Amino acid sequence: MVAITGGIPMYDAMKTDFVGGFVGFFQANYLIFLTGVLMGKMMEVTNGAKAIAKLIVKALGKEKALISIPLSCAILAYGGVSVFVCSFAVFPIALEVFREADLPRRFIPAALTFGCSTFAMVAPGAPQIHNAIPSTALGVTYMAGATVGFISCGFMFLMGSILLFRFVKKAKAEGEHFVAKDVDTFHEEAKLPNPFIALIPLIVTIILINAPLKDGKPLVQLETGVFIGAVLVWLLLNKYQQNKELLFHVGEGCKTAIVSISNTCAVVAFGSVVKSALAFQVVIDAMIDIPGPELVGVAVGTTVIAGVCGSASGALGIAAPLLGPIYIAKGVAAEAISRTMSISSAALDSLPHNGYIVTVTNGLCNETHKDAYRPIFWLTVFTPIVGSVVCVILFTLFPTWP
């Protein structure tokens, strides 16, 4: 439809624009997806992820059990585990926590998605694709705009936590309780690894990709750091899982990575077609000419593209190489652009049609959008929008902050 209405010959749109955008993103980012999935797979099969989640739940206690779920997801996501794997790993723990605390089950998807796909996913230094894409496109580190980024992400976490508690409190006041579904299973793990040992690979990964050398470059590339983390998980926690067929797990990880990145490649490829449409430059000019600070256009442009694509990483794959150079030429710091894009990408990507939202809500948690999406919207769409506003304001007021 874009080709037909945008004045692009259909063959050229498919052969040159779509396929060119698809393979270009695949080549640039496949190893990032692969190593992230392998890290998650190792944390999953060794029960390392569950051990960390159990530690958070135990530390916070029953009164704060609700917030322990997004915190568990956030720690895993910030350590380099892919957001899909985080959700699947923590869901069994969430089920037990919600049952024990008698919290309405329909809020589990909101708790999972809030922890996985908002503040932790886009925080400075996180070994996630949402830092990697703008970093590569703009030539900055994963810690770019760290001060403003951490403040904005902290604001998102605080605001989202308050909203989550209020939603659940209101639901309980109206008589809602935990009601198990037929597919739910509850059981104690036979033996979990020491959670502090399980944290070591995550910490090592973060240090490796963020600790600078004398020339300012990190010790290792993102893919290498996450792969080292995955190997460490296997070496340290191997004895805690039953199926020790390493090659099988690696094979499953490769297949998952192919499917995952192909979805994002298709989004970026669609964006490549859009860029060739006759009206595209008009849209870009409209974003650039938005009144106010320059970073408003960066935030709005990235967020709108994410909403259209239904993908944060897909939006960054389109926006970073396209909008970044334009705003750098206008005198905006590359670090500020990178961090603003990263945070802004986490907002409208979580609309109902987002693949991650559908997978977690309907596939993993067996809830309907009617029952579960309202709190998801406020936690994963509204709070990142506010976080983006905070980010733009702080960068505008304090452009010299590191």
Side-chain angles (χ1 to χ4, degrees), residues 104 106-107 167-177 374:
R106 67 185 181 91
F107 289 100
F167 282 134
V168 173
K169 182 179 180 180
K170 181 180 178 182
K172 287 181 68 72
E174 293 174 352
E176 290 191 48
H177 299 275
R374 182 170 177 266

Side-chain angles (χ1 to χ4, degrees), residues 234-250:
W234 182 259
L235 293 176
L236 295 174
L237 308 180
N238 174 39
K239 64 181 180 180
Y240 292 98
Q241 54 94 33
Q242 296 179 349
N243 183 359
K244 298 189 178 182
E245 297 179 7
L246 177 60
L247 291 181
F248 172 79
H249 297 316
V250 172

